[in-house]
């Protein structure tokens, strides 16, 4: 890209930028299919384990407050390099430690690394999208989902044969080198002047002047809680509640991601046939109520017919992914529209409120798991998502 024209989004730039999102998905979702191994390393109960997992939100909250200013000061390129390095080092630490305190600290750092990477990649992509005058974000998010699915597929194949330490450490090294290579190839596309990105800062103290739209914020929380909770508990549920083997248990999360990919790549087409409001409510029914019902049915019949119970559970996780898939793009679009085009500020405020709410919810649900079971916590989460049947009215009634 030596003769770079900022008004043209070349195939080569698309490839490397998609790879940045793809590798991001591979790295940050690599631990989700192997949560039983993390828990075994630490030797703690489900409540404590869930609380430690939710600690990543602390790092995310901090970085959502200051990350925009950091990216603005050092530039998106340097922020991506730093973010990917923090993620790799933190994840390697997470899989090697057997000490809960070290795990807690490393997970907070991981959350901050993930957030600064997200801020930098989203801010840069928004900037390029505005320069070329056509949408590129949905497919980049799709590339992220493909990466997340690939990492779940890898775990499904190797989890019974390779330790979590070797798996994640090796993966993080390769992903880190791949990310640095792609960032270098994209160097010329990054804005050379900090002030050129003013309008694309995803977050900063100045921007966080909260005027909370409660219908939008609660709706977004209901739409996203299932995705976060399933990432933490899907594999443990399959292993501990249904009695699946290590490799088979990871299929629950893999099928959730398959549903996520299908939904994210087809939402543009779907919006030409029905409105935002329809698809948000539909997602609540399919992803929330559908997931809740299939989970109850599968756990109730696991003793009588294990194969059928496994199948029903797999269908439930697929429906959860399908129902959750379009929620983030839809709610961010609604937020931007309601903020009269101030997209970055809207995304920052909505993300901050949601991250804080998710942190509280995940911590509470961790102790629901400890007191009752993983099934109860997942059913509660499915019920929360089903509330989109009401909160979906925030969406537009018009087709695209």
């Amino acid at each position: 890209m030596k003769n770079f024209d900022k008004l043209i989004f070349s195939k080569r730039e698309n490839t490397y930028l998609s790879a940045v999102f793809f590798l991001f998905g591979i790295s940050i979702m690599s631990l989700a299919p192997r949560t039983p191994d993390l828990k075994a390393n630490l030797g703690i109960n489900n409540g404590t384990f869930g609380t430690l997992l939710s600690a990543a939100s602390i790092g995310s909250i901090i970085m959502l407050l200051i990350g925009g200013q950091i990216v603005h000061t050092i530039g998106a390129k340097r922020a991506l390099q730093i973010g990917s390095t923090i993620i790799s080092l933190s994840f390697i630490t997470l899989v090697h430690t057997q000490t809960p305190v070290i795990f807690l600290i490393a997970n907070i750092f991981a959350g901050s690394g993930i957030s600064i990477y997200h801020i930098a990649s989203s801010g840069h992509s928004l900037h390029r999208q505005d320069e070329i005058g056509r949408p590129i974000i949905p497919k980049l998010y799709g590339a992220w989902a493909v990466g997340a699915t690939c990492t779940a597929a890898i775990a499904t194949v190797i989890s019974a044969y390779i330790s979590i330490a070797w798996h994640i450490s090796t993966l993080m090294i390769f992903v880190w080198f791949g990310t640095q290579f792609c960032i270098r190839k994209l160097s010329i596309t990054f804005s050379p002047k900090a002030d050129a990105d003013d309008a694309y800062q995803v977050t900063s103290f100045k921007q966080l002047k909260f005027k909370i739209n409660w219908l939008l914020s609660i709706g977004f929380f209901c739409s996203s809680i299932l995705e976060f909770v399933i990432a933490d508990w899907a594999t443990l549920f399959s292993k501990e509640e249904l009695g699946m083997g290590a490799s088979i248990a990871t299929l629950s999360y893999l099928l959730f991601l398959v549903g996520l990919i299908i939904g994210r790549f087809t939402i543009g087409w779907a919006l030409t046939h029905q409105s935002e409001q329809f698809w948000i409510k539909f997602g609540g029914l399919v992803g929330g109520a559908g997931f809740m019902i299939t989970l109850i049915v599968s756990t109730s019949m696991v003793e009588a017919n294990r194969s059928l119970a496994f199948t029903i559970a797999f269908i439930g996780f697929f429906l959860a992914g399908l129902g959750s898939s379009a929620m983030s793009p839809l709610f961010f679009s609604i937020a931007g529209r309601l903020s009269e085009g101030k997209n970055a500020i809207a995304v920052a405020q909505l993300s901050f409120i949601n991250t804080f709410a998710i942190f509280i919810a995940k911590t509470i649900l961790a102790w629901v798991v400890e007191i009752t079971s993983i099934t109860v916590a997942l059913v509660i989460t499915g019920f929360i998502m089903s509330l989109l049947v009401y909160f979906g009215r925030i969406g537009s009634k018009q087709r695209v």
Side-chain angles (χ1 to χ4, degrees), residues 173-193:
I173 291 170
F174 276 101
V175 167
W176 185 85
F177 278 108
T179 302
Q180 305 313 306
F181 175 78
C182 292
I183 293 171
R184 184 179 177 183
K185 290 293 184 180
L186 289 167
S187 291
I188 198 168
T189 70
F190 292 102
S191 177
K193 295 181 180 180

Side-chain angles (χ1 to χ4, degrees), residues 348-370:
Q349 294 183 349
L350 193 59
S351 296
F352 181 85
I353 295 167
N354 197 57
T355 301
F356 184 78
I358 292 292
F359 169 62
I360 300 298
K362 284 176 63 176
T363 303
I364 294 172
L365 287 169
W367 291 100
V368 169
V369 169
E370 181 61 26

